Amino acid sequence: MKAKIMGAGSYVPHKVVSNAMLEKMMDTNDEWIRTRTGIETRHISEGENTSVLCGKAAMDILEKTGISAKEIDFIIVATMTPDGLSPSTACLVQDYIGAKPIMAFDVNAACSGFIYALSIGEKLIQSGTFQYGLILGGEVMSKIIDWQDRSTAVLFGDGAGGILLSATETENSFLGEDIHSDGSRGESLTAGSHLVTNFHTKENLENRFLQMDGRSIFDFAIRSVPESIRTVVESSNYTLGEVDCIVAHQANYRILQAIAKKLKIPVELFATNIAKYGNTSAASIPILLDELLTNGDLVLGSKKKIVLTGFGGGLTWGSMLIQL
Ligand SMILES: O=C(O)C1CCN(c2ccc(-c3cc(CO)ccc3Cl)cn2)CC1
């Protein structure tokens, strides 16, 4: 049994926050943000939690594919900002869309989460046990941001996106994958640590806000992501010249330029929408993929070769080579 992408969808909160609006909240400016990151605006939730963003993205997928919620056989949500520890955000999405009592679970691989979830979902479909699976990436990054910390507050946005996977006997969409972690460098990007505080300890050790060593994450991305993209393409017996589009995690436009330079490929091969949404962590790849399919830049069934690549907290990174 093979897995194929049947369609995509997305949802972002209505509230648009511009760089100029952030200038009024903290010591930053539009020129710095745009030149250093490529970000112009981001969408910020006004009360909708991650499960609602994911639920609305899922409804968008169902509407676009014509598949009903009752036909869905499993839901995977990639998120580093779940509604809570329990119930999982995926279970809340199951309820939100009115699916049957199916398998539903969360995956936390930060900004590589959608890649991890898609890899798992593909294997579930390949097992022959399931016909349709929803693979969602969703974040409310705004709830873990320290809005007094200008080094991170200007970078992130909220949103959700995803794809519908279906079982098929025809040609495989999934040509290769290259997925990694390195916990020894996990301290470079942390959020929501639950340190041991109980009746043995007095102090309440809690650090709920996102903290990032931007320099080390930047350097990690420049070193590891080009290698992952090259590996996933060449280990599948293709060349970088045969790749039609790279749908990369939207962390920073200068990162995409640096990766393109290292791979000696045109930066235009990297689709981008970071200007509009900022860094939406696990949601960035599916939001961009939905945008490309909606505006016709990518077409399902076209046989075009695309690479999806995520990288970030964990540290985690991963790439997938897909034939549309
Ligand atoms: O001074 C500057 O230019 C600053 C330097 C620091 N910057 C950074 C640093 C790291 C990231 C980042 C974040 C994630 C997490 O999703 C993953 C991958 C990356 Cl590369 C994004 N921006 C902003 C501009």
Side-chain angles (χ1 to χ4, degrees), residues 32 36-37 111 141 151 155-156 189 212-215 217-221 249-252 254-255 279 281 311-313:
W32 187 94
R36 307 292 295 194
T37 70
C111 316
M141 295 302 286
S151 71
L155 304 179
F156 295 94
L189 197 162
M212 182 174 73
D213 175 345
R215 185 73 263 158
I217 293 279
F218 215 99
D219 294 343
F220 140 71
H249 169 44
Q250 299 293 290
N252 183 302
R254 290 189 302 122
I255 275 284
N279 179 339
S281 185
F311 44 95

Side-chain angles (χ1 to χ4, degrees), residues 215-278:
R215 185 73 263 158
S216 62
I217 293 279
F218 215 99
D219 294 343
F220 140 71
I222 292 175
R223 187 170 48 253
S224 301
V225 178
E227 182 183 350
S228 178
I229 292 171
R230 181 180 296 284
T231 299
V232 81
V233 171
E234 295 181 350
S235 62
S236 308
N237 301 317
Y238 290 94
T239 65
L240 285 170
E242 292 174 280
V243 174
D244 297 295
C245 180
I246 298 176
V247 185
H249 169 44
Q250 299 293 290
N252 183 302
Y253 185 69
R254 290 189 302 122
I255 275 284
L256 302 183
Q257 291 175 311
I259 294 168
K261 184 177 176 189
K262 200 152 183 198
L263 287 171
K264 298 184 175 57
I265 58 178
V267 70
E268 292 73 20
L269 211 55
F270 288 80
T272 64
N273 65 3
I274 191 169
K276 290 188 287 188
Y277 302 114

Side-chain angles (χ1 to χ4, degrees), residues 7 25 33 45 55 72 95 101 112 126 155 161 169-170 186 207 225 253 256 276 287-288 294 299 306 317 322:
M25 290 169 57
I33 301 169
S45 173
I72 300 299
D95 176 47
S112 312
Q126 280 184 335
L155 304 179
E169 295 289 355
T170 57
N207 171 10
V225 178
Y253 185 69
L256 302 183
K276 290 188 287 188
I287 289 172
L288 180 53
T294 300
V299 178
I306 67 170
W317 64 105
I322 293 171

Side-chain angles (χ1 to χ4, degrees), residues 26-302:
M26 62 193 79
D27 179 16
T28 188
N29 64 75
D30 174 59
E31 200 267 339
W32 187 94
I33 301 169
R34 273 172 340 114
T35 56
R36 307 292 295 194
T37 70
I39 301 168
E40 297 173 7
T41 60
R42 71 284 292 149
H43 291 245
I44 300 295
S45 173
E46 294 179 291
E48 294 174 313
N49 214 331
T50 306
S51 62
V52 172
L53 304 191
C54 289
K56 290 183 174 180
M59 297 303 283
D60 188 39
I61 297 168
L62 296 177
E63 187 190 340
K64 286 172 178 173
T65 56
I67 299 296
S68 82
K70 298 295 184 203
E71 296 179 84
I72 300 299
D73 298 309
F74 64 84
I75 299 170
I76 306 174
V77 171
T79 185
M80 67 179 285
T81 56
D83 288 33
L85 292 177
S86 188
S88 71
T89 300
C91 285
L92 298 173
V93 171
Q94 178 272 340
D95 176 47
Y96 187 95
I97 67 172
K100 292 181 303 198
I102 53 173
M103 179 193 283
F105 59 97
D106 292 356
V107 165
N108 181 351
C111 316
S112 312
F114 185 73
I115 299 295
Y116 274 59
L118 187 54
S119 172
I120 296 164
E122 184 218 352
K123 309 313 182 290
L124 289 176
I125 293 285
Q126 280 184 335
S127 74
T129 309
F130 307 98
Q131 178 60 42
Y132 292 115
L134 278 176
I135 315 297
L136 303 167
E139 305 285 9
V140 178
M141 295 302 286
S142 60
K143 70 183 181 183
I144 63 168
I145 291 297
D146 175 358
W147 288 97
Q148 305 308 314
D149 175 7
R150 68 179 183 172
S151 71
T152 54
V154 304
L155 304 179
F156 295 94
D158 302 340
I163 58 112
L164 176 71
L165 278 186
S166 78
T168 174
E169 295 289 355
T170 57
E171 208 167 312
N172 199 7
S173 301
F174 292 81
L175 304 178
E177 66 181 42
D178 174 72
I179 299 179
H180 303 281
S181 69
D182 178 3
S184 73
R185 291 181 284 169
E187 283 308 300
S188 302
L189 197 162
T190 61
S193 50
H194 294 286
L195 305 178
V196 177
T197 50
N198 53 33
F199 58 84
H200 285 306
T201 61
K202 292 288 174 285
E203 69 276 25
N204 176 19
L205 303 171
E206 174 93 14
N207 171 10
R208 61 184 287 264
F209 292 133
L210 183 144
Q211 291 185 302
M212 182 174 73
D213 175 345
R215 185 73 263 158
S216 62
I217 293 279
F218 215 99
D219 294 343
F220 140 71
I222 292 175
R223 187 170 48 253
S224 301
V225 178
E227 182 183 350
S228 178
I229 292 171
R230 181 180 296 284
T231 299
V232 81
V233 171
E234 295 181 350
S235 62
S236 308
N237 301 317
Y238 290 94
T239 65
L240 285 170
E242 292 174 280
V243 174
D244 297 295
C245 180
I246 298 176
V247 185
H249 169 44
Q250 299 293 290
N252 183 302
Y253 185 69
R254 290 189 302 122
I255 275 284
L256 302 183
Q257 291 175 311
I259 294 168
K261 184 177 176 189
K262 200 152 183 198
L263 287 171
K264 298 184 175 57
I265 58 178
V267 70
E268 292 73 20
L269 211 55
F270 288 80
T272 64
N273 65 3
I274 191 169
K276 290 188 287 188
Y277 302 114
N279 179 339
T280 57
S281 185
S284 76
I285 291 171
I287 289 172
L288 180 53
L289 188 55
D290 179 45
E291 184 174 295
L292 294 165
L293 289 168
T294 300
N295 68 21
D297 283 345
L298 293 180
V299 178
L300 293 174
S302 63

